[in-house]
Amino acid sequence: EDLEKIKADNKTIISFHMPPDKLGMDVCYTRDQNVYKYVGSKSIYNWIEKEQPLISLHGHIHESYDITKTWNFNLGRTLVVQPGQMQLTRFVVLELNGEKVIPCLKFL
């Protein structure tokens, strides 16, 4: 219900701690470390799909990139980013080129 109050357009950049559901950026280990589980938010996925902000930034699931190697996804016109963070420091550089966003994952 709270997300319905937030409106976006093609110039909006938004940040949610939780990643959207099932884009490969919401996968975590289960307790036995051999089984993976999707834990993203369906509500956030639906909001992004409907509102189509320019960029949607996420965190929360540290090991997701190490499992899926997925750190960005285009959901319609929206660039969704979740770099994860395990042993190496990861950060994302976003270059705005006109109306196009060019993402680049960096490691330290």
Side-chain angles (χ1 to χ4, degrees):
E1 294 175 2
D2 290 334
L3 288 176
E4 292 175 12
K5 299 173 189 172
I6 302 171
K7 300 300 175 195
D9 62 26
N10 63 351
K11 294 180 182 178
T12 301
I13 298 172
I14 193 157
S15 178
F16 293 104
H17 185 64
M18 175 64 72
D21 186 48
K22 295 189 179 164
L23 296 182
M25 294 176 275
D26 66 328
V27 180
C28 66
Y29 294 115
T30 60
R31 290 184 185 205
D32 66 13
Q33 300 291 312
N34 293 319
V35 178
Y36 309 123
K37 181 177 179 181
Y38 287 94
V39 295
S41 169
K42 291 177 185 169
S43 296
I44 291 173
Y45 179 99
N46 292 338
W47 183 88
I48 294 169
E49 188 175 51
K50 177 184 174 199
E51 293 294 328
Q52 292 290 283
L54 179 64
I55 303 168
S56 184
L57 304 171
H58 305 272
H60 190 56
I61 312 301
H62 297 250
E63 67 268 30
S64 191
Y65 174 81
D66 291 320
I67 296 168
T68 67
K69 301 299 184 224
T70 300
W71 62 274
N72 70 30
F73 189 90
N74 287 305
L75 182 55
R77 294 184 315 266
T78 302
L79 174 64
V80 181
V81 177
Q82 198 288 75
Q85 189 81 17
M86 291 294 282
Q87 289 80 20
L88 296 174
T89 299
R90 294 187 193 112
F91 61 96
V92 174
V93 175
L94 299 174
E95 180 182 324
L96 299 176
N97 185 355
E99 293 184 14
K100 186 175 181 176
V101 180
I102 303 165
C104 181
L105 184 64
K106 302 281 187 173
F107 297 87
L108 289 180

